[in-house]
Amino acid sequence: MKLLILPLGLCLVFVFVWERVDMVRLGYQIERLKQERIVLERERDELRVKLSALSAPDRIAKIASEKLGMSLPQQGQVIMVRSAPAAPVPQPDAPVEVRVAKHQLSGGAR
């Protein structure tokens, strides 16, 4: 009977120690993941600030004029297109005109 109780007790001690070691390991893993989360949140915030700075209208206008040679349009270069007055709503039974655009390739290839 003593021979059976001793190995059984030893197994219970090993299981208890294994659970405690596993809990400590998981605790370290949780702390590491918390630190990683903090680093990633900080990096996200820095990237948001950088995006905001890069997409600033003044910066874009400066690059467009200095590096790309663009300039503001002169008077007469901008043509305002006004929308036509609202067309009457077609009746459900009325025929509807459908136009199909074709694009033909040169050389007879289709």
Side-chain angles (χ1 to χ4, degrees):
M1 188 72 156
K2 281 187 175 183
L3 292 175
L4 185 60
I5 293 176
L6 185 61
L8 186 59
L10 198 55
C11 286
L12 288 175
V13 169
F14 282 138
V15 168
F16 179 76
V17 170
W18 178 267
E19 286 181 356
R20 292 295 172 187
V21 169
D22 201 37
M23 286 175 54
V24 170
R25 184 185 58 82
L26 288 174
Y28 281 123
Q29 187 176 6
I30 289 170
E31 288 303 315
R32 182 183 54 83
L33 290 173
K34 284 180 182 178
Q35 293 299 320
E36 186 177 341
R37 180 177 147 221
I38 291 170
V39 169
L40 290 173
E41 286 175 346
R42 191 173 297 139
E43 183 179 349
R44 179 200 61 202
D45 293 342
E46 289 172 1
L47 288 173
R48 283 183 178 167
V49 169
K50 189 173 184 178
L51 174 66
S52 177
L54 290 175
S55 61
D58 294 339
R59 180 185 172 278
I60 293 173
K62 182 179 177 183
I63 290 174
S65 64
E66 292 178 1
K67 291 187 179 180
L68 301 176
M70 295 179 163
S71 63
L72 292 174
Q74 301 298 317
Q75 186 158 353
Q77 288 182 321
V78 177
I79 300 173
M80 298 297 290
V81 178
R82 298 196 190 326
S83 63
V89 178
Q91 299 298 323
D93 296 335
V96 177
E97 181 180 347
V98 176
R99 294 183 181 182
V100 178
K102 290 185 179 179
H103 178 70
Q104 295 179 345
L105 299 175
S106 62
R110 285 189 173 229

